[in-house]
Amino acid sequence: MKKILGNPKFLAVYSGVLTLVFAITVLAGFTADSHNSKFDEITVRRINIVEPDGTLRMVLSNKADFPGIILHGKEHPHPNRKTAGMLFFNDEGTENGGLIFGGEKKDGKGSSYGHLSFDAYDQDQIFTIDAGKTGDQSASALSMIDRPEYPISEVVALTDRIKGMTDEQKKAEIAKFSKEHGAPHARLYLGRSADKSVALRLKDPEGHDRVVIEVAADGSPLLQFLDKDGKVVSQMPPKTP
């Protein structure tokens, strides 16, 4: 018996069995409690909220690990989104809006921004709230936007296709795409501009201002009615000669 217990092969097997039993015990205990875990504090870089089948529904992430554009569960690089925040996804695992935020001091000038948006199905944002300030220049706005019916995956394909082109070629391709597919149009804007004026702009389906209510930085009010070509047809107070 002593020979068996002292045999190196036996000791190796015995050690392996003990390690396996310990691992199973720990994992079993973790699994049993994983449905109702409680924490006082969690420090993470990114959290993915998923459905039981693995479909992504929400991401909370830092700047370094923030995802690109996710459409139907497939991720594509984002051309310029470098921020921390939260993304929402629909039942098909496609981005459906989000909340992003940030701020820093650069070249002695402080800046901050925040953005909340909700998207149309398979398209971009149709409702947004934005706020930002750089130095002494600040602006904030609420916007509603009409989007074309084509899927945003076509925009992603266009972005991939024009990557290596010159700036002029890119502009030409984007203009051609917009002409063929249609462009988004803002329908409502309510906000404060960097010049310290505030305004409500109601627009027609083509994105043209039709009713403007504005208070300038000096406090003077203005109400305008415009035609589809942007010509003022009536205003209060009346325009002085």
Side-chain angles (χ1 to χ4, degrees):
M1 187 69 174
K2 287 182 180 180
K3 286 183 180 180
I4 295 174
L5 294 176
N7 189 299
K9 290 184 179 179
F10 173 80
L11 292 175
V13 173
Y14 181 69
S15 175
V17 171
L18 282 180
T19 302
L20 181 61
V21 170
F22 176 75
I24 291 172
T25 303
V26 171
L27 289 173
F30 178 78
T31 303
D33 295 333
S34 63
H35 293 292
N36 192 26
S37 300
K38 294 181 180 179
F39 305 92
D40 292 327
E41 184 175 327
I42 301 175
T43 301
V44 298
R45 292 171 52 165
R46 173 169 158 171
I47 297 175
N48 298 330
I49 307 297
V50 299
E51 296 290 352
D53 65 358
T55 302
L56 189 62
R57 295 309 304 271
M58 187 170 74
V59 171
L60 179 63
S61 177
N62 64 10
K63 183 176 179 179
D65 299 292
F66 208 76
I69 304 170
I70 299 179
L71 306 173
H72 300 281
K74 185 179 179 182
E75 186 170 353
H76 308 265
H78 197 287
N80 54 22
R81 185 165 60 193
K82 295 178 175 63
T83 181
M86 181 187 304
L87 290 180
F88 314 129
F89 297 86
N90 67 16
D91 298 72
E92 299 173 354
T94 294
E95 189 173 322
N96 202 39
L99 169 67
I100 58 175
F101 47 84
E104 62 180 343
K105 196 166 190 177
K106 199 172 184 180
D107 300 326
K109 190 178 288 187
S111 66
S112 64
Y113 67 88
H115 168 89
L116 172 66
S117 64
F118 299 93
D119 301 344
Y121 175 76
D122 257 1
Q123 251 293 342
D124 210 345
Q125 52 202 26
I126 54 175
F127 178 83
T128 67
I129 298 175
D130 291 275
K133 183 173 183 179
T134 301
D136 61 352
Q137 299 289 304
S138 64
S140 55
L142 180 152
S143 300
M144 297 179 186
I145 305 155
D146 283 352
R147 294 280 172 185
E149 293 300 318
Y150 63 85
I152 198 170
S153 57
E154 295 190 26
V155 178
V156 174
L158 171 68
T159 304
D160 291 340
R161 184 166 56 81
I162 65 176
K163 269 182 185 176
M165 295 183 180
T166 64
D167 288 343
E168 266 194 39
Q169 289 173 328
K170 287 179 181 178
K171 286 179 183 177
E173 289 297 317
I174 291 170
K176 180 183 176 183
F177 181 91
S178 296
K179 186 176 180 181
E180 292 174 349
H181 291 73
H185 296 298
R187 296 301 308 276
L188 177 147
Y189 167 91
L190 172 62
R192 178 197 189 280
S193 299
D195 64 2
K196 298 184 180 180
S197 66
V198 292
L200 169 64
R201 298 178 179 274
L202 305 178
K203 304 168 182 286
D204 63 22
E206 298 302 314
H208 304 126
D209 286 346
R210 300 304 297 268
V211 179
V212 176
I213 303 172
E214 183 178 78
V215 177
D218 64 3
S220 55
L222 178 67
L223 170 61
Q224 291 182 325
F225 297 90
L226 304 92
D227 66 16
K228 63 183 179 61
D229 297 316
K231 182 182 177 181
V232 177
V233 295
S234 177
Q235 97 171 27
M236 294 178 60
K239 193 174 183 179
T240 53

